[in-house]
Amino acid sequence: EIVLTQSPATLSLSPGERATLSCGASQSVSSSYLAWYQQKPGLAPRLLIYDASSRATGIPDRFSGSGSGTDFTLTISRLEPEDFAVYYCQQYGSSPPYTFGQGTKLEIK
Amino acid sequence: QLQLQESGPGLVKPSETLSLTCTVSGGSISSSSYYWGWIRQPPGKGLEWIGSIYYSGSTYYNPSLKSRVTISVDTSKNQFSLKLSSVTAADTAVYYCARHAAYGPIVVVPAAIDYWGQGTLVTVSS
C-alpha cells in the first residue's frame, strides 16, 4: 500500500499570497497517477488536478500541479478568499487501495 | 449535467449490514469510460476509498475492507450499490458515491474521481 503524507498539516496565508502544498509518497507513484481535491465544510470534494499536472474542467489556472515519482506539489499562485479549504492528494497508479493523503488545511491568516 | 445521489438508512445497528444505493442521472452507468465508486469520511477525519465497480461488474476493493464489502451495479436502473457487513462504530462516516475516469490499454482500472455525490451520513449505533 502506498502511503501519502501531506505537508504542512495546516497552512496559514493571506489572500493574494502563493500557496505551496506537498504530497509525499512512500513508493513511486506509477505514471504520475496522482490527483488533488479541494473540500469545503459540509461539501463533497472537488477534483482540481489529475495525472499530477492536468487541471480538471472549470478549474482556474491559478491552480497548478507538478511532480513525479514520490514528490508532488499543488501550487495556488494567488489565493482568493474561496480557496481556503482542505486539500487532499490521492494516488491511483498502483494496485488498490487508491489511497488519500491526510489533508492540508489552508486557513486565512 | 451528471448527478449522483446516495440513498439508504442513516442509522445502522452494530453487527448489521450497511446498505447504500447511488442513483446516477444525466449520464449512463454503462459507459466504458468510467468506474463507479464509494468513498467514506469519518466525522472530522480524512477520506478513505472503499471500492469501485465497472459497468461490466469488475470490482476493485480496499484490502482493509474487502472481507466485508460488496459493490454491485444495476445497469437497468442506472444504479450501483454498497453493502458493508458486520459494522461497528468505526464505520460511522459520511459515505460518498462517485465517478472515476477509467484508463488502461488492456486492463481498465479506476483513475481520478471527477464527480461526487453530496454524501450521506451513516451512524452505527444501537
Side-chain angles (χ1 to χ4, degrees):
Chain A
E1 172 178 334
I2 295 180
V3 176
L4 299 180
T5 302
Q6 293 187 238
S7 61
T10 303
L11 184 59
S12 300
L13 294 171
S14 300
E17 290 193 293
R18 181 184 185 90
T20 302
L21 288 67
S22 296
C23 178
S26 60
Q27 307 168 42
S28 182
V29 177
S30 174
S31 302
S32 297
Y33 286 142
L34 185 121
W36 290 93
Y37 303 89
Q38 176 194 68
Q39 187 178 32
K40 296 181 179 179
L43 297 179
R46 176 175 70 144
L47 177 65
L48 300 175
I49 301 288
Y50 64 95
D51 296 353
S53 60
S54 297
R55 263 189 305 277
T57 303
I59 301 303
D61 60 8
R62 64 179 182 273
F63 291 91
S64 63
S66 62
S68 63
T70 60
D71 295 300
F72 297 88
T73 301
L74 174 70
T75 301
I76 311 172
S77 60
R78 192 173 171 81
L79 285 166
E80 298 287 344
E82 63 267 28
D83 297 336
F84 292 91
V86 179
Y87 292 82
Y88 294 95
C89 57
Q90 184 207 15
Q91 67 81 22
Y92 47 92
S94 69
S95 300
Y98 302 121
T99 46
F100 290 90
Q102 83 281 15
T104 289
K105 181 179 181 180
L106 178 57
E107 64 177 24
I108 299 177
K109 187 173 182 180
Chain B
Q1 176 76 353
L2 188 77
Q3 291 189 322
L4 295 89
Q5 180 65 57
E6 305 89 352
S7 59
L11 181 64
V12 181
K13 289 182 168 55
S15 79
E16 295 190 344
T17 296
L18 178 161
S19 295
L20 295 174
T21 295
C22 183
T23 300
V24 179
S25 58
S28 174
I29 205 169
S30 298
S31 170
S32 60
S33 299
Y34 305 108
Y35 264 82
W36 306 90
W38 291 94
I39 298 94
R40 69 180 183 179
Q41 185 171 37
K45 297 188 177 181
L47 300 164
E48 180 180 34
W49 172 76
I50 299 170
S52 303
I53 190 164
Y54 202 44
Y55 76 98
S56 62
S58 175
T59 52
Y60 288 90
Y61 294 134
N62 189 323
S64 70
L65 299 170
K66 189 173 183 177
S67 63
R68 300 194 291 132
V69 171
T70 302
I71 297 176
S72 58
V73 64
D74 186 338
T75 55
S76 67
K77 294 182 179 179
N78 229 33
Q79 294 177 333
F80 61 105
S81 299
L82 168 71
K83 291 189 186 298
L84 180 66
S85 63
S86 305
V87 297
T88 69
D91 295 309
T92 294
V94 174
Y95 285 76
Y96 295 100
C97 63
R99 186 184 84 171
H100 299 260
Y103 76 94
I106 301 174
V107 177
V108 180
V109 296
I113 299 166
D114 59 358
Y115 277 93
W116 299 70
Q118 64 184 24
T120 186
L121 174 63
V122 178
T123 301
V124 179
S125 175
S126 55

